Amino acid sequence: MKSFKRNGFTLIELLVVIAIIAILAAILFPVFAQAREKARQASCMSNLKQIGTAVYMYNQDYDERMPRFRTSTLEDAQMDPDGIRRSRSTALGLCQPYIKNWQCMKCPNMPDAISAINGASIWISANPSNMSIWPGYGWNVDYMNFSANCSDYNDLVNTFESGPPTALAAIQQPAATVMAGGSGFADSAAYRSFVGSTKSLYPLNGGYYYLLAPATLTTPEGCIWGNGGWGQGSFMGPYGGFEQPRHGNMGGHIVFCDSHVKFMSAGRAAAGTDWTVNTLNTNVHVIDRNQYIWDLQ
């Protein structure tokens, strides 16, 4: 009697193996995606840590004062006689000599920033003129640079020169005061209207060199800081430019005035305010200053 030796798998066995592989793939692929996102978050955090260290070094060289958020048009021309404007004129640009790497100004999760005029990339060859204005990280402009007499950070008398740089001694809680953070324009109706106006040079997908504070704050001295930067109607989107949407809507990175970096959700970054994504930007106010991490107190 002959015996037959089986040399292959039955169809049922093959289908079972395929089903097992499919199940394993469905389980592992999201894990791999999360691991990649964690790696990007770590790289983004490293970028802001370098920025925080650079600002600290700048402070030591400039009488323990923060850099101004931008220089005047006249100063730009003086600093850049070859015509490459604004390569050093923003707060983060002024600290670039301590980093010597423009690529750390771009979050790994940022898509390529595209000109709203011709559709071309604005970051070709890490152009310092563009990287200084449209980086992935923005300055806490509402509080790091005060003008005199309770005016905002724009000194219109001196051709859009920013207010005087904040002294480190004025920052009462450096470890709990925002210095800079991940910044990016949201694809919102307000932003699309903004870039479609005379501000059409603003790129799509670009970051911005300042980051708006979440709420309006009236101090006991009568100064009003903030301009409704977060919420519906803000030209930087409901997050005020904070990078939470860039990181899977989980949160974004903030570097504090003592140079430590923390990953925070937008809700945590806006603690002490009545902000929500759906609140009108002009209705967002500080309700508990002890929790508010953007001002100097």
Side-chain angles (χ1 to χ4, degrees), residues 75-89:
E75 289 172 311
D76 285 345
Q78 291 173 339
M79 287 193 296
D80 293 307
D82 56 355
I84 303 177
R85 292 282 302 283
R86 292 194 180 280
S87 62
R88 294 182 296 276
S89 63

Side-chain angles (χ1 to χ4, degrees), residues 65-83:
R65 291 183 178 274
M66 290 290 184
R68 287 177 296 160
F69 94 100
R70 69 180 179 188
T71 50
S72 67
T73 303
L74 176 61
E75 289 172 311
D76 285 345
Q78 291 173 339
M79 287 193 296
D80 293 307
D82 56 355

Side-chain angles (χ1 to χ4, degrees), residues 8 13 23 37 40 45-46 60 67 118 123 145 169 224 226 240 246 258 263 268 278 292:
E13 289 171 333
I23 292 171
E37 173 56 27
R40 295 189 189 104
M45 180 175 286
S46 175
Q60 303 312 305
N118 57 21
W123 285 332
N145 300 98
I224 300 176
R246 189 185 300 153
D258 67 343
F263 189 81
R268 178 65 188 88
N278 297 316
Y292 195 55

Side-chain angles (χ1 to χ4, degrees), residues 2-181:
K2 293 182 178 180
S3 63
F4 295 93
K5 185 177 181 181
R6 190 175 66 178
N7 294 320
F9 296 101
T10 66
L11 178 60
I12 297 299
E13 289 171 333
L14 287 173
L15 291 176
V16 170
V17 171
I18 292 172
I20 292 173
I21 293 174
I23 292 171
L24 290 176
I27 294 172
L28 294 177
F29 284 171
V31 174
F32 294 151
Q34 291 176 11
R36 285 194 297 270
E37 173 56 27
K38 288 296 182 182
R40 295 189 189 104
Q41 288 183 25
S43 179
C44 186
M45 180 175 286
S46 175
N47 288 347
L48 263 181
K49 180 61 179 177
Q50 291 184 68
I51 290 170
T53 301
V55 173
Y56 181 81
M57 295 169 70
Y58 179 99
N59 293 339
Q60 303 312 305
D61 286 345
Y62 289 89
D63 299 324
E64 295 194 339
R65 291 183 178 274
M66 290 290 184
R68 287 177 296 160
F69 94 100
R70 69 180 179 188
T71 50
S72 67
T73 303
L74 176 61
E75 289 172 311
D76 285 345
Q78 291 173 339
M79 287 193 296
D80 293 307
D82 56 355
I84 303 177
R85 292 282 302 283
R86 292 194 180 280
S87 62
R88 294 182 296 276
S89 63
T90 67
L92 301 184
L94 289 166
C95 295
Q96 181 59 210
Y98 301 94
I99 303 176
K100 299 185 183 298
N101 179 10
W102 283 105
Q103 288 299 332
C104 75
M105 299 294 182
K106 184 176 185 293
C107 170
N109 275 358
M110 287 188 75
D112 197 15
I114 302 299
S115 168
I117 296 178
N118 57 21
S121 170
I122 66 164
W123 285 332
I124 296 175
S125 301
N127 186 327
S129 176
N130 290 327
M131 293 297 289
S132 181
I133 306 175
W134 316 115
Y137 308 100
W139 192 245
N140 179 10
V141 66
D142 287 320
Y143 296 100
M144 289 296 105
N145 300 98
F146 287 144
S147 294
N149 302 320
C150 295
S151 61
D152 67 9
Y153 46 81
N154 279 328
D155 184 353
L156 301 179
V157 176
N158 292 307
T159 318
F160 291 99
E161 182 178 0
S162 74
T166 297
L168 293 184
I171 304 173
Q172 298 183 19
Q173 301 181 61
T177 301
V178 174
M179 178 172 68

